Amino acid sequence: MTTEHADDARDIQEPQASQIALTWTGEPGRMEELTHGMLLDQADRAATALARLGVRAGDQVAVHLPLVPESVIATLACGRLDAIRITLPVSLTVPELASRTRELGARVLITADAAFWEGAIRPVKAVLDHALARGRAAGGDPARTVLVVNRCARPVSWTPGRDRWWHEALDES
């Protein structure tokens, strides 16, 4: 893309930058709105963070998130890098998740500390931790980075050197 075309694209996008692109409503009554500009900025920062973690075109990024804005941001970030987003539903059991993560061998996994479902806080990262431990015991590759989205502000188990907060990774961008 030439500079002239890049400038034209930016001019087209700027009027929409302040328009709401994503509205998310979660439990308990939490609502977030992201404008086009905010969504694109976070996607750029997430793509930079993923690239810093070694993600390149064609690499798989496993996303184990509930339906939260960061899931959309992760998708856009993968698209920017031509990386492949692989969805790991949060409804998977530990054995199912262990099998999928072992098969994928993704360099980066993105998860949440926990999530609200039907009025209760349910673990998300803890399930992934158990699945990764089971995968390692079965000879899986432990060399991964787990980016953790803080959604429920509760204590979470942590593996130093492997786990990183999503917001801190994006802030480094």
Side-chain angles (χ1 to χ4, degrees):
M1 178 183 287
T2 65
T3 305
E4 178 181 314
H5 291 291
D7 290 340
D8 291 344
R10 206 172 359 267
D11 289 342
I12 291 168
Q13 289 177 357
E14 285 180 15
Q16 296 176 349
S18 62
Q19 293 179 353
I20 301 299
L22 184 130
T23 300
W24 175 82
T25 305
E27 294 182 51
R30 182 174 173 185
M31 186 177 112
E32 294 178 33
E33 290 186 334
L34 295 173
T35 65
H36 284 275
M38 293 164 66
L39 190 59
L40 293 175
D41 175 63
Q42 288 191 36
D44 285 342
R45 291 172 41 217
T48 299
L50 291 173
R52 197 177 312 107
L53 293 170
V55 175
R56 303 287 178 255
D59 288 349
Q60 296 179 347
V61 175
V63 179
H64 180 246
L65 287 171
L67 297 175
V68 293
E70 291 83 1
S71 183
V72 174
I73 293 163
T75 301
L76 293 171
C78 288
R80 293 218 186 306
L81 297 173
D82 288 329
I84 302 163
R85 176 208 159 109
I86 304 293
T87 300
L88 299 172
V90 294
S91 61
L92 292 176
T93 64
V94 169
E96 292 168 332
L97 196 52
S99 175
R100 295 248 184 112
T101 57
R102 198 172 47 251
E103 290 168 6
L104 291 174
R107 170 177 304 209
V108 176
L109 294 104
I110 303 170
T111 193
D113 53 355
F116 286 99
W117 279 304
E118 300 170 352
I121 295 176
R122 306 236 176 119
V124 176
K125 183 178 182 293
V127 172
L128 180 64
D129 286 343
H130 289 298
L132 292 175
R134 182 178 274 207
R136 271 192 311 277
D141 179 14
R144 306 170 193 266
T145 298
V146 176
L147 290 176
V148 183
V149 175
N150 187 348
R151 296 305 298 179
C152 293
R154 57 180 279 148
V156 63
S157 63
W158 206 256
T159 302
R162 183 195 74 181
D163 297 346
R164 300 197 55 208
W165 286 113
W166 166 268
H167 63 276
E168 290 176 358
L170 266 60
D171 287 346
E172 294 171 8
S173 304

